[in-house]
């Protein structure tokens, strides 16, 4: 078999958000760049089987629920007719459109895209294989952006097409009458939101004793009180036994050490976290440091312990979020081009696109207490917020966390409709070192949801007039 040879300044493996951003930034900085991707469709997990398709399905789910909620306000729609084939076609159209636009941007930037599976030959060359084509690429620097994939459970067989992972769930194989989701993390809860709205009866089980244990309890309580009417969440629970037959899966669940009555499910979605895609890269002889969770160790310049090998995105571990990978991709490219840049953000935002949404950035109260950090918090409840009330958003809150001495914003959490959209201001405030006055004295438009950020700052300052002012005598 013939083997083509190539040489380039930078190779990026993986065309997900981290990889394509790094490759494009490298090229824009004048570096000769090759991007290698094993799948035909560029864009990685995020675009093909992650952020984009899940947010499309969540958008449908949100519109259905909002139209149903209008019933109490005197507007009644008939039951939605769900055509999953058409939904799937539309989802595929969005994915194809975005993926093609990455390819076309690569062409315009002169980034050479090579299709195939890459593995290391040594620290300055890789072998790329696709069907019967082979290519050896030698390089000065390489950026590993190989991402992550779903973790499996040893007691469920993925050979059964009714056992799903997130990729299967996003392909909408059916709308099961009863769906069991194992894992109450972000992806599990988002899929519970989608399928419960499309008509499934959904049970989510998790062996942890706290839902979303990294978030503040008031935030999680507000979320849980709202979603418990849509689907069940059983904590402290594990699967005792799964028996599969033609009818589905008969599942016995152990909750708090008590075996519950077995229940029949038509499909089971396993959503128990993600692991790195390092296993097929042939890195054993390269000597890269891998942490105890199986992710690559990098420094603040995204360099691994091997000086010409960089790593970005999910393969570097938590938080596994597209925007973290994109940011890292830019830094890695800039460092390779000679700039002395660092990946040292004060805060990385996270969003749970459920109904209601939860969005948080910077420090939580829980984290502050755990790390002995002095803090004060201020909350503005959305049941006093004009825009939320007029839009019939029954629950929501905006919470800011301040450093009590400097009065700077160090964190924020928002629960409610479009919470994720409000997070931008809080993230910017943290990065810019804004203090309470910067936010309280900036006029926010009324009525809006983002006005709740300004109102939380007024609560903290003791200048609030929209609700009772508990600090009135101090100011
Ligand atoms: P990936 O997107 O995983 O891309 C890695 C690429 O490398 C893949 O295309 C893979 O084929 C390729 N590759 C791997 N090994 C090789 C090899 N040896 N040779 C050639 N190519 C290789 N994040 C958010 O920020 N917001 C969200 O709303 C969100 N929703 C999500 C919903 C779901 C259902 C899932 C699963 C994830 C979601 N995420 C979300 C996470 C987000 O998708 C990831 O953080 C992001 O895709 C990571 O980007 P990446 O570039 O590091 O890796």
């Amino acid at each position: 078999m013939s083997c083509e040879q190539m040489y380039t300044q930078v190779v990026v493996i993986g065309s997900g958000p981290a990889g394509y951003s790094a490759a494009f930034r490298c090229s824009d900085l004048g570096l000769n760049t090759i991007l290698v991707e094993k799948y035909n469709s560029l864009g990685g997990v995020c675009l093909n089987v992650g952020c984009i398709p899940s947010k499309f399905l969540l958008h449908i789910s949100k519109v259905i629920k909002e139209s149903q909620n209008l019933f109490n306000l005197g507007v009644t729609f008939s039951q939605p007719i769900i055509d999953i084939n058409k939904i799937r076609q539309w989802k595929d159209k969005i994915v194809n459109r975005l993926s093609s636009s990455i390819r076309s941007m690569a062409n315009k930037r002169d980034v050479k895209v090579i299709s195939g599976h890459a593995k290391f030959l040594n620290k300055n060359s890789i072998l790329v294989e696709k069907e019967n084509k082979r290519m050896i690429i030698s390089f000065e620097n390489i950026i590993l952006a190989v991402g992550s994939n779903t973790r499996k459970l040893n007691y469920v067989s993925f050979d059964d097409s009714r056992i799903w992972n997130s990729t299967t769930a996003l392909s909408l194989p059916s709308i099961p009458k009863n769906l069991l989701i194992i894992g109450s993390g972000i992806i599990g809860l988002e899929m519970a939101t989608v399928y419960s709205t499309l008509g499934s009866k959904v049970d989510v089980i998790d062996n942890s004793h706290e839902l979303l244990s990294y978030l503040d309890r008031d935030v999680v309580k507000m979320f849980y009180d709202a979603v418990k009417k849509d689907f069940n969440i059983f904590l402290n629970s594990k699967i005792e036994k799964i028996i599969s037959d033609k009818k589905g899966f008969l599942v016995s669940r152990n909750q708090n050490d008590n075996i519950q009555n077995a229940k029949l499910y038509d499909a089971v979605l396993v959503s128990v976290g993600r692991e790195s895609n390092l296993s097929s890269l042939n890195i054993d002889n390269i000597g890269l440091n891998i942490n105890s969770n199986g992710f690559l160790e990098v420094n603040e310049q995204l360099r691994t312990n091997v000086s010409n090998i960089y790593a970005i995105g999910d393969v570097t571990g938590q938080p596994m979020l597209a925007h973290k990978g994109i940011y890292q991709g830019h830094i890695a490219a800039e460092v390779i081009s000679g700039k002395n840049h660092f990946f040292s953000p004060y805060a990385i935002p996270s969003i749970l696109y459920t109904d209601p949404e939860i969005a948080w950035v910077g420090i939580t109260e829980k984290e502050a207490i755990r790390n002995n950090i002095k803090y004060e918090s201020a909350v503005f409840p959305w049941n006093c917020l004009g825009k939320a009330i007029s839009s019939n958003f029954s629950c929501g809150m905006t919470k800011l966390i301040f450093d009590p001495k400097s009065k700077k914003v160090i964190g924020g959490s928002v629960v409610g409709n479009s919470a994720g959209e409000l997070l931008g201001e809080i993230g910017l405030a943290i990065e810019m070192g804004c203090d309470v006055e910067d936010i309280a004295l900036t006029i926010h438009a009324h009525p809006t949801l983002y006005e709740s950020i300004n109102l939380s700052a007024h609560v903290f300052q003791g200048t609030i007039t929209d609700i009772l002012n508990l600090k009135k005598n101090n100011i």
Side-chain angles (χ1 to χ4, degrees):
M1 198 190 303
S2 69
C3 186
E4 200 181 327
Q5 308 247 0
M6 291 185 91
Y7 172 79
T8 185
Q9 284 176 296
V10 185
V11 172
V12 180
I13 307 182
S15 72
Y20 80 72
S21 307
F24 292 178
R25 189 81 187 106
C26 281
S27 167
D28 290 354
L29 288 164
L31 296 162
N32 186 256
T33 308
I34 289 178
L35 176 64
V36 184
E37 170 56 56
K38 65 180 174 188
Y39 290 121
N40 291 332
S41 176
L42 302 181
V45 168
C46 169
L47 203 162
N48 293 283
V49 290
C51 324
I52 299 299
S54 62
K55 267 73 247 181
F56 164 63
L57 297 180
L58 282 156
H59 169 70
I60 292 182
S61 152
K62 184 174 175 180
V63 174
I64 292 176
K65 285 186 95 184
E66 280 188 6
S67 55
Q68 285 165 347
N69 289 342
L70 285 180
F71 172 76
N72 293 331
L73 281 65
V75 179
T76 310
F77 294 95
S78 50
Q79 274 299 316
I81 298 164
I82 314 275
D83 179 342
I84 54 171
N85 292 327
K86 214 162 170 184
I87 295 177
R88 205 182 298 115
Q89 278 164 18
W90 187 254
K91 176 189 65 98
D92 292 345
K93 204 167 143 185
I94 298 168
V95 169
N96 290 339
R97 181 176 145 192
L98 289 170
S99 179
S100 313
S101 99
I102 295 179
R103 195 172 287 280
S104 117
M105 280 194 285
N107 288 341
K108 288 188 182 138
R109 285 185 151 92
D110 269 341
V111 170
K112 191 167 177 54
V113 178
I114 291 181
S115 183
H117 182 280
K119 61 182 181 198
F120 276 97
L121 293 173
N122 56 50
K123 71 184 184 63
N124 287 101
S125 65
I126 53 167
L127 173 69
V128 182
E129 292 176 296
K130 177 138 195 188
E131 288 143 19
N132 48 10
K133 282 200 193 131
R134 302 175 90 210
M135 179 181 285
I136 290 175
I137 306 174
S138 307
F139 50 81
E140 278 167 38
N141 290 289
I142 188 164
I143 302 178
L144 304 180
V146 292
S148 64
N149 62 77
T150 49
R151 188 174 289 148
K152 295 194 168 117
L153 278 178
N154 51 17
Y155 57 84
V156 285
S157 158
F158 280 84
D159 295 340
D160 188 323
S161 62
R162 299 164 304 171
I163 298 280
W164 298 355
N165 59 22
S166 58
T167 301
T168 334
L170 291 174
S171 72
L172 278 182
S174 63
I175 301 174
K177 198 160 163 245
N178 286 295
L179 172 66
L180 174 65
I181 300 182
I182 306 176
S184 66
I186 293 188
I187 295 172
L189 292 172
E190 289 187 353
M191 289 304 104
T193 306
V194 168
Y195 276 91
S196 62
T197 314
L198 294 180
S200 299
K201 287 202 175 82
V202 178
D203 288 345
V204 181
I205 71 160
D206 201 302
N207 58 12
S208 64
H209 66 281
E210 235 181 315
L211 181 63
L212 302 167
S213 58
Y214 37 90
L215 295 179
D216 293 341
R217 289 305 86 193
D218 52 348
V219 165
V220 178
K221 185 179 181 320
M222 180 164 273
F223 165 78
Y224 179 68
D225 286 347
V227 298
K228 67 184 180 196
K229 63 180 185 326
D230 300 327
F231 48 86
N232 296 313
I233 302 176
F234 301 116
L235 298 178
N236 276 322
S237 290
K238 53 181 196 256
I239 305 282
E240 198 65 33
K241 206 183 208 178
I242 294 192
I243 303 170
S244 79
D245 67 15
K246 268 197 297 198
K247 282 198 226 139
F249 300 95
L250 194 61
V251 179
S252 307
R253 177 170 59 85
N254 181 325
Q255 185 166 19
N256 299 318
D257 290 331
N258 294 314
I259 310 274
Q260 310 294 312
N261 286 341
K263 190 168 166 184
L264 190 68
Y265 295 96
D266 309 285
V268 176
L269 163 57
V270 178
S271 178
V272 291
R274 298 185 65 79
E275 55 194 21
S276 75
N277 278 334
L278 284 174
S279 58
S280 59
L281 263 184
N282 196 29
I283 53 168
D284 289 354
N285 299 327
I286 307 294
L288 294 172
N289 285 347
I290 296 173
N291 68 22
S292 55
N293 295 320
F295 295 94
L296 283 173
E297 283 181 5
V298 286
N299 66 13
E300 283 191 328
Q301 294 196 307
L302 288 320
R303 212 181 232 133
T304 64
N305 56 310
V306 179
S307 64
N308 71 326
I309 303 181
Y310 295 74
I312 55 174
D314 278 14
V315 76
T316 62
Q318 293 289 0
M320 289 197 250
L321 293 167
H323 41 278
K324 180 205 77 173
I326 293 169
Y327 194 117
Q328 288 182 325
H330 286 201
I331 301 288
E334 287 157 12
V335 171
I336 291 173
S337 80
K339 295 182 193 294
N340 196 24
H341 289 180
F342 295 86
F343 178 72
S344 55
Y346 284 117
I348 300 175
S350 296
I351 304 168
L352 180 60
Y353 293 85
T354 40
D355 178 27
E357 288 183 4
I358 307 183
W360 65 101
V361 59
I363 209 160
T364 58
E365 272 189 89
K366 213 171 182 183
E367 214 177 325
I369 293 165
R370 194 176 55 236
N371 296 323
N372 233 346
I373 296 170
K374 289 202 168 59
Y375 77 95
E376 272 178 49
S377 65
V379 171
F380 192 86
W382 285 22
N383 58 10
C384 301
L385 187 67
K387 180 65 191 271
I389 297 167
S390 59
S391 308
N392 191 33
F393 300 153
S394 52
C395 79
M397 63 187 269
T398 300
K399 179 195 222 176
L400 295 181
I401 313 283
F402 293 95
D403 175 319
K405 208 164 156 208
S406 66
K407 314 264 187 260
K408 284 187 176 174
V409 187
I410 53 172
S413 303
V414 184
V415 185
N417 196 302
S418 304
E421 302 296 337
L422 274 67
L423 211 58
E425 176 174 344
I426 307 176
L428 187 66
I430 296 171
E431 284 291 340
M432 299 293 291
C434 290
D435 65 18
V436 65
E437 280 201 342
D438 293 322
I439 297 183
L441 298 183
T442 297
I443 298 180
H444 288 58
H446 171 81
T448 55
L449 298 176
Y450 89 99
E451 163 184 42
S452 63
I453 298 168
N454 169 271
L455 294 166
S456 301
H458 278 293
V459 169
F460 178 72
Q461 273 204 148
T463 47
I464 188 75
T465 47
D466 288 57
I467 54 176
L468 275 183
N469 185 359
L470 300 176
K471 293 183 176 173
K472 65 180 175 182
N473 296 326
N474 300 336
I475 304 297

